[in-house]
Amino acid sequence: MSRTDQKKIKVLGAFSSYLNSTQLEVIIPCIDLQNEGKIQFQCTSSRHFDPKLIQWTDIVLCSRSTAPHEIPFFNEVIRQKKPLIYQCDDNFFHIPTDTPVGRYHRHPATIHTHIKLLETADLVRCYSSEMNKSLSKINSNVEQTTAYFDNRMCTEEKKKNEKIRIVYASSRSQGDHLQNIFTPSLKKILTEYPSTVEMFFWGPPPEDKSLLKLNNCSHLNFESNYDNFIKKFKAMNFDIGLAPMLSGTFFNSKTNNKYREYGGCKIAGIYSDTGLYSSVNHEKTGLLVPNNYDSWYSAIKKLLDNCELRECIVNNAHEDVLKNYSLRQFKDSLFRGLESTVLTHSQQQKKLIGFPRAIFIFQDEYFATHPDYSNLVNNLDNTLSTMGCTVTRSKKIFSYCGQDSLAIVFSNNTDFSIDIFNLSKAKESQFIAFTENKTHLPDHIISQTFLCGTNKDISPQHSLFDYFENNSISHILSKISQSIVLNEANLTKKTKIIKLLRAASPYLRKAFSLLSLPKKAFYKIKRATLNSDKQESLIIKKINKGKFP
């Protein structure tokens, strides 16, 4: 039976923002598979969706879906018992929090959504062994596949430049500290080769501003459309590409994107000698260097002075990328995943995804004014701040919307502790307390209370967060990691919270800080959200007509 006689799989691609990952992992391969007659493809925003589209589809495909405002969409997918494939190209559990993007993805509300989607997915696809290891702890059906480079975007032959061109390209717009690995070495190179070498920072400008004062160093603005970026990137005819990287779970969980881009665009790459670039064959398909000044200086100088080595690396890497990172392989792998997931999908009803819970930290007057204990609680607050937590003592807030949350109480006041405990019980919330004296507490509260003080369960001199990690109440960490602390300004109306969670734009990396903004600022951001919604709608219309945006 021919493919045209068979029933084509109906695939619905869902995204909350049109990122490069969305283009590469969902849109491009699915439009190709549709043109080949293997699937029918439509896409939708996971923020503004029509349930009839979910009813139409056989399977839903998404990438990097972590925003809480996407939960209603995925709950509709669950209600209609449709299978889901979730693709992950970044390890958000380990992303550094020194940038707005990192803090957004490590926010407890975001982590909560990410975990729940991983648990819900029928198949999870990733691109590295490190990521596979991490995701397999949450979902037993994880498939590791190979990312690709679309060589159709690089059809023109490479031209020779008058000067040797070096490039560093990155999509990190803020806090790009990786460039600092090579910039001291690069600065020396640029001063030694003032008339024969040109350097281009594409995306983030150099953090060392003195580099741009050199005549042979330039900055190019970030291009958000990946297809346009690659075409412009190839047209620049770069000779040497720099790819610094750090070691660690987050960095080793990424894909070797720079290797594929440099190899595909016939650029000789210099890569940090880390797990991410273990596929690079030293002096065959690229140069691998330790992250120190001398090594980066020597590697750049070596490729500048040795034209034959440069050409050898260009040819070998290009051949390797065409052979081992082809779009054809990726499409075939994706289609197999779609086909097998549809065939094996169970019609058993899955549990709906709940919205992120809240965490509240209460102190009585004694703990709030005691210098040691106030520092201890502040340390807890600071430790959790990267996950969006703040300290509050407002019972009013807790009584208003503390449903299914967590209350942490520091108190020597019996009435204070009992009051919070009763509120927790009424709200079906978790409760844990710290006190200097348990004897004044009722038995039903004592079991959930820990002693404070020297030689007790915890002392003011120790980090409360360390105590959580190393003792019997370590499970509290998992509660914290799925929570968001809300302050009084956020909670004037419960409906406002839900609307904000659903309307917060994914284009705004500090989306959840909206909750503490004044009304004027909120409406300003809401207007920006509406503008981005219009752009998103135009993109979806083009895709659903079988066109690349």
Side-chain angles (χ1 to χ4, degrees):
M1 186 183 291
S2 68
R3 172 61 59 185
T4 53
D5 295 325
Q6 296 179 33
K7 181 186 176 185
K8 297 175 185 177
I9 300 172
K10 297 173 183 175
V11 180
L12 179 63
F15 59 86
S16 68
S17 55
Y18 194 64
L19 303 172
N20 287 342
S21 298
T22 307
Q23 298 175 56
L24 294 172
E25 298 173 14
V26 179
I27 307 303
I28 292 175
C30 283
I31 288 180
D32 269 19
L33 288 172
Q34 178 171 254
N35 292 338
E36 292 169 8
K38 293 182 177 180
I39 68 171
Q40 293 182 57
F41 179 64
Q42 293 280 288
C43 74
T44 183
S45 163
S46 52
R47 293 182 295 136
H48 312 292
F49 63 94
D50 184 349
K52 290 180 182 178
L53 261 181
I54 301 173
Q55 188 177 355
W56 165 85
T57 193
D58 295 318
I59 188 167
V60 175
L61 177 65
C62 66
S63 170
R64 293 175 74 98
S65 294
T66 62
H69 57 248
E70 298 180 81
I71 289 175
F73 170 81
F74 289 104
N75 276 341
E76 186 61 33
V77 173
I78 293 169
R79 285 190 193 95
Q80 296 197 30
K81 299 181 180 180
K82 300 293 184 176
L84 171 68
I85 294 181
Y86 186 23
Q87 306 199 108
C88 299
D89 61 358
D90 259 330
N91 196 328
F92 298 129
F93 300 113
H94 295 276
I95 187 170
T97 56
D98 56 350
T99 66
V101 173
R103 288 189 289 276
Y104 169 81
H105 284 296
R106 286 285 289 277
H107 192 287
T110 312
I111 288 291
H112 167 85
T113 309
H114 187 44
I115 290 173
K116 292 302 179 184
L117 284 178
L118 287 170
E119 291 173 345
T120 300
D122 297 86
L123 172 64
V124 178
R125 283 164 52 91
C126 65
Y127 307 97
S128 69
S129 57
E130 192 76 40
M131 182 72 99
N132 191 339
K133 180 181 175 182
S134 180
L135 299 181
S136 294
K137 296 175 182 177
I138 302 172
N139 190 310
S140 59
N141 194 19
V142 178
E143 175 185 282
Q144 183 180 331
T145 189
T146 303
Y148 70 92
F149 179 79
D150 190 353
N151 196 54
R152 296 173 301 185
M153 295 185 283
C154 299
T155 54
E156 295 181 6
E157 283 299 315
K158 188 170 183 177
K159 300 174 183 177
K160 191 171 180 63
N161 302 310
E162 292 183 7
K163 298 179 181 180
I164 299 175
R165 290 185 171 182
I166 306 174
V167 66
Y168 170 65
S170 173
S171 60
R172 289 178 290 274
S173 58
Q174 296 184 40
D176 180 34
H177 306 312
L178 288 179
Q179 59 178 258
N180 296 330
I181 291 172
F182 66 78
T183 47
S185 310
L186 176 69
K187 193 171 184 179
K188 185 179 180 181
I189 290 286
L190 294 179
T191 56
E192 290 178 349
Y193 296 80
S195 58
T196 57
V197 172
E198 292 179 298
M199 174 66 199
F200 295 85
F201 283 83
W202 198 321
E207 291 194 343
D208 182 352
K209 303 303 180 187
S210 65
L211 281 167
L212 291 178
K213 294 178 181 179
L214 300 174
N215 292 330
N216 54 346
C217 185
S218 303
H219 172 246
L220 301 172
N221 291 326
F222 173 66
E223 171 58 66
S224 58
N225 184 294
Y226 189 75
D227 189 47
N228 291 341
F229 163 71
I230 286 296
K231 288 175 181 175
K232 292 177 182 178
F233 193 67
K234 179 69 165 62
M236 288 293 290
N237 295 302
F238 295 116
D239 300 289
I240 299 171
L242 308 181
M245 187 51 64
L246 298 173
S247 291
T249 302
F250 170 71
F251 301 103
N252 292 339
S253 296
K254 298 173 86 61
T255 71
N256 59 354
N257 187 46
K258 280 291 162 279
Y259 174 69
R260 302 194 310 275
E261 289 176 350
Y262 291 164
C265 293
K266 296 186 176 181
I267 300 168
I270 303 175
Y271 309 90
S272 290
D273 191 3
T274 64
L276 177 62
Y277 293 120
S278 58
S279 58
V280 176
N281 189 343
H282 183 57
E283 295 194 342
K284 299 293 184 183
T285 58
L287 296 186
L288 291 171
V289 296
N291 284 334
N292 60 63
Y293 173 88
D294 290 336
S295 298
W296 274 92
Y297 172 80
S298 299
I300 298 171
K301 186 173 177 60
K302 189 172 189 175
L303 286 189
L304 288 174
D305 295 341
N306 193 333
C307 180
E308 289 184 4
L309 177 61
R310 220 167 50 234
E311 286 300 313
C312 176
I313 288 173
V314 163
N315 294 330
N316 290 336
H318 187 66
E319 183 180 342
D320 181 47
V321 168
L322 293 182
K323 180 181 178 182
N324 297 311
Y325 300 93
S326 71
L327 175 57
R328 178 75 269 160
Q329 291 172 330
F330 185 88
K331 288 188 295 187
D332 290 344
S333 169
L334 177 59
F335 181 70
R336 286 193 300 269
L338 292 166
E339 206 169 33
S340 63
T341 303
V342 169
L343 288 173
T344 59
H345 176 61
S346 169
Q347 286 298 308
Q348 184 177 354
Q349 185 66 57
K350 297 176 184 176
K351 187 177 179 181
L352 295 177
I353 300 171
F355 275 91
R357 292 174 291 181
I359 176 172
F360 298 87
I361 303 176
F362 299 100
Q363 306 171 83
D364 66 8
E365 195 64 29
Y366 173 78
F367 275 82
T369 56
H370 191 292
D372 289 333
Y373 287 125
S374 62
N375 286 336
L376 183 149
V377 177
N378 287 337
N379 286 338
L380 171 64
D381 179 42
N382 291 335
T383 305
L384 299 177
S385 64
T386 58
M387 299 191 290
C389 298
T390 56
V391 175
T392 180
R393 285 180 286 163
S394 174
K395 296 180 191 176
K396 179 182 176 183
I397 297 172
F398 190 50
S399 63
Y400 189 71
C401 64
Q403 193 74 27
D404 193 28
S405 61
L406 167 66
I408 302 178
V409 179
F410 296 86
S411 173
N412 283 342
N413 184 311
T414 304
D415 292 337
F416 186 91
S417 299
I418 292 174
D419 193 15
I420 300 299
F421 177 83
N422 289 336
L423 277 172
S424 300
K425 189 174 180 181
K427 293 295 179 181
E428 299 179 333
S429 299
Q430 301 292 320
F431 174 89
I432 182 170
F434 293 90
T435 184
E436 287 187 329
N437 184 4
K438 285 186 181 183
T439 57
H440 63 286
L441 292 170
D443 291 342
H444 61 284
I445 296 181
I446 286 178
S447 62
Q448 297 174 67
T449 303
F450 293 82
L451 285 174
C452 296
T454 308
N455 298 322
K456 304 295 183 181
D457 293 328
I458 180 169
S459 70
Q461 286 73 37
H462 292 89
S463 163
L464 183 61
F465 200 77
D466 288 341
Y467 182 80
F468 280 162
E469 279 193 314
N470 299 324
N471 292 270
S472 59
I473 55 171
S474 60
H475 66 278
I476 294 297
L477 280 176
S478 64
K479 301 291 183 186
I480 292 172
S481 69
Q482 297 175 25
S483 305
I484 170 177
V485 168
L486 306 174
N487 60 40
E488 201 146 7
N490 302 338
L491 296 168
T492 52
K493 290 183 180 179
K494 189 174 181 179
T495 53
K496 180 180 176 183
I497 300 301
I498 301 301
K499 285 180 180 178
L500 283 167
L501 285 172
R502 290 179 178 172
S505 171
Y507 297 89
L508 306 164
R509 292 304 184 181
K510 293 184 179 180
F512 293 95
S513 66
L514 293 177
L515 296 173
S516 58
L517 287 176
K519 185 180 285 188
K520 196 173 188 180
F522 167 69
Y523 285 116
K524 183 178 179 181
I525 291 172
K526 190 71 182 284
R527 283 195 297 273
T529 304
L530 292 173
N531 288 336
S532 66
D533 287 346
K534 289 178 182 177
Q535 293 175 355
E536 184 182 273
S537 179
L538 291 172
I539 289 171
I540 289 172
K541 285 179 181 177
K542 285 185 178 180
I543 293 170
N544 289 342
K545 289 180 180 179
K547 299 177 181 179
F548 291 107

